[in-house]
Every structure is written in structure tokens, then in C-alpha cells.
Amino acid sequence: MDHEGEGSVYTEVYDNVADGVVSIEVYDDTTRPSSGSGFLIDGNYIVTNEHVVDAGDTVYVRYVGTDWREVSVAGTDVYSDLAVIDVENTPDASDPLTWVNSRPAIGTRVVAIGNPFGLSGSVSEGIVSGVDRTLRGANNFSIAAGIQTDAAVNPGNSGGPLVDLDGNVVGVINSGGGDNVGFAISAQLAQRVIPALIEDGSYDHPYMGVGLSNVSPVIAEANDLEQASGVYINSVRSDGPSDGVLEGSTGTARVDGVEVGTGGDVVRRLDDTPTPTRQDLAAYLALETSPGDTLSVTVQRDGGRQTVEITLGTRPEPR
């Protein structure tokens, strides 16, 4: 693809990546389609967001310089907001994109390429502003290990790639829209979920069956904790993997005008990994474990520490 003018490093990234990025339109019974973005990976599959393809029953994609073509959805996962589209006869110029090998460092320069507001082939640049962000997911669950960026991403960018300056995918853009804060599903999580979507059409997430909060200063004071650190167990789901193993709140207290739970366990470690925050706990579960795995969980309980074992279940089907 040729461009007039001198260009920049971002021009080079765009030239290397854009032919593998697609626009997506999804139709239901209304006359106005919803739109999003996606990108080609090895094996003639396109990655996008679940919420993009869930908007209707008929899905079309368009590569740079081609017409629209109808495609089929190979698999979706609402809990990671990822989907895979099965495609055939991809253009010769459309090369699959590749994933980064490791989590990007904060400050890594990145480029978002996609279809914001239907404007295909749009490029915005920024940096990785944060990692291990917890993104909003379905049914009060969260998406772990998210990437935060200040690159401008807007409606229509969803499902497109966030790439580094080598053109490797750092994450799948999930949400944005203002205030210089956008989010992407990390390449690390995507690489766990996508092969299962291709193979089985779905993905099983590990499940502890607990309600969690970060230990805040008021939770620490209410529970006589020396440090405001760790993950507090608010509740334990009946008949879930943690039932009878972990303990949730047994009472409440009001501290500085805030009512908080008391008597619940505080998780300090999963296996050998410290969990100072809920984000750390969620990232370990999402990236390092699978349903059926047995974890050693170190908790603070009744003023002391002890280790218990939990066999993870499978996250319930979406409602």
C-alpha cells in the first residue's frame, strides 16, 4: 500500500498491519446495522468482540479495498468479550496479525486501528497506560488482565487490534470513548480463549464462587487488619467450589460512615502468588488456572494465617 508524503513510524505500522484489519457490520431485524472491527489471525479466522457479533444474526466483513462478504461465527465467549469468525478466500494481501510474546510494559507505544463511527482504516496512537486492569464483564463477573491505553478508541473500534510498533497485537480493543482512557482484552487472555473458541465454540472459565473486595482502609479497620492489603471475601456462593472452605462476612460494621463486612477471610496468596489486590487474584485465575485445578489458598482468618485447598469449578452459563 503506497502513501504520499514522508510518513512516520505510525505510517509504517499501518502499512504492515492494515490489510489484516477488517470492518464488521452485523444486521438483525432492524434496518440499521451495528458496526465494529476485527483482525485476521492464522488459520483463516478473524478475532473480534463478542458484543460486536452478538448484535444480530447476519455478519459481514470487509477487508481494505474489497467488497462486503457474509461470514459465519465460529465461537463466542461473553465472559472475555471475545469472538472468532470463520472466513474463506481471504485476499492475498491480507496477512494474519501476530500476538506479542509477553505482557507489554507500561509506557509501550501502541497504535489502534479500526472502524470508529464507521470510518474504516482509522489510526490513533498512544501508550500502554496500565496493565492488569479489571474490565466490566457479563453477569457481574469481570474480565481480568486488561490493558489500558490513552490511544483514542471509540464506538466501532471494538474488536480491532491494539498493536505495538512492531505490529504485534497487544490486545483486542474492548471499550473507550473519551477522557483518554480506553481498554483492550490482553493478548495473554485472548491466546487462552481463542483456541477453544475455534475448537469447541466456547471457553470454560475457572470459578471460585465468591464475592470479593479489595481490602480498603475501612475494611482493614473493621476487621483489625494491620495492613489495608489483600482480597476480602464478602460472600461464598452456596454449593460453589469455596462453600465450606472459605468464609464470607459474618457481620457488618460502620467505619467513617461506611458499612462494611466483618468476619470474612482475607486471601493473601493463591499457590505461590501473592494477591495484594483483587486484580492480582483475578489475573492469576484467568491466566494460570483452569476448571478442575486445585489451588492452595493462604488466608488470614481469626487473627492468624492458614492454607486451605479449593478445586476450581466452571463459571456458570450466562443468564
Side-chain angles (χ1 to χ4, degrees):
M1 186 179 300
D2 295 326
H3 292 271
E4 297 180 357
E6 182 177 347
S8 69
V9 63
Y10 302 111
T11 308
E12 183 177 350
V13 174
Y14 178 81
D15 286 346
N16 290 335
V17 171
D19 286 324
V21 179
V22 301
S23 301
I24 298 174
E25 287 195 351
V26 181
Y27 290 79
D28 56 14
D29 293 332
T30 66
T31 57
R32 183 173 182 178
S34 61
S35 64
S37 304
F39 58 93
L40 188 67
I41 60 170
D42 272 334
N44 285 339
Y45 293 99
I46 288 171
V47 174
T48 187
N49 286 149
E50 187 275 342
H51 78 258
V52 170
V53 298
D54 187 54
D57 299 320
T58 307
V59 181
Y60 294 89
V61 303
R62 183 176 64 188
Y63 300 86
V64 174
T66 72
D67 57 358
W68 291 98
R69 56 192 71 187
E70 187 174 353
V71 293
S72 59
V73 176
T76 63
D77 177 49
V78 67
Y79 288 130
S80 63
D81 194 23
L82 291 171
V84 174
I85 294 170
D86 192 356
V87 293
E88 298 178 357
N89 302 320
T90 58
D92 292 338
S94 297
D95 292 325
L97 275 60
T98 57
W99 304 99
V100 292
N101 292 323
S102 59
R103 185 178 71 174
I106 293 174
T108 299
R109 287 196 289 172
V110 290
V111 177
I113 301 176
N115 186 39
F117 304 113
L119 303 171
S120 61
S122 294
V123 180
S124 59
E125 57 83 21
I127 62 171
V128 172
S129 306
V131 296
D132 286 338
R133 298 306 195 216
T134 300
L135 312 184
R136 180 177 297 177
N139 299 338
N140 295 319
F141 288 98
S142 58
I143 304 172
I147 303 293
Q148 179 187 337
T149 181
D150 65 350
V153 293
N154 291 285
N157 273 117
S158 292
L162 185 70
V163 302
D164 63 18
L165 297 191
D166 292 322
N168 296 315
V169 179
V170 169
V172 183
I173 295 169
N174 164 264
S175 61
D179 299 324
N180 298 319
V181 178
F183 295 99
I185 301 144
S186 70
Q188 289 68 41
L189 180 58
Q191 289 178 92
R192 286 178 66 90
V193 174
I194 287 167
L197 298 187
I198 293 172
E199 183 71 22
D200 303 319
S202 61
Y203 179 79
D204 291 334
H205 290 262
Y207 176 64
M208 288 181 67
V210 292
L212 305 172
S213 293
N214 285 323
V215 174
S216 64
V218 291
I219 289 177
E221 182 174 342
N223 288 275
D224 297 323
L225 303 174
E226 293 183 1
Q227 295 180 325
S229 175
V231 183
Y232 181 78
I233 304 295
N234 291 307
S235 60
V236 177
R237 181 166 178 169
S238 177
D239 298 325
S242 298
D243 190 15
V245 182
L246 293 178
E247 296 182 2
S249 295
T250 57
T252 61
R254 185 169 291 274
V255 178
D256 295 334
V258 179
E259 188 170 353
V260 296
T262 59
D265 288 337
V266 176
V267 180
R268 298 296 187 188
R269 304 178 76 89
L270 293 182
D271 293 330
D272 295 326
T273 300
T275 55
T277 68
R278 179 181 175 182
Q279 290 78 9
D280 294 304
L281 184 150
Y284 183 81
L285 283 179
L287 301 181
E288 304 294 338
T289 73
S290 300
D293 290 350
T294 298
L295 304 185
S296 296
V297 183
T298 301
V299 299
Q300 187 163 343
R301 179 186 296 173
D302 297 330
R305 289 199 181 194
Q306 57 183 284
T307 299
V308 297
E309 289 193 342
I310 295 174
T311 299
L312 296 173
T314 299
R315 193 175 290 183
E317 289 292 325
R319 297 190 299 272

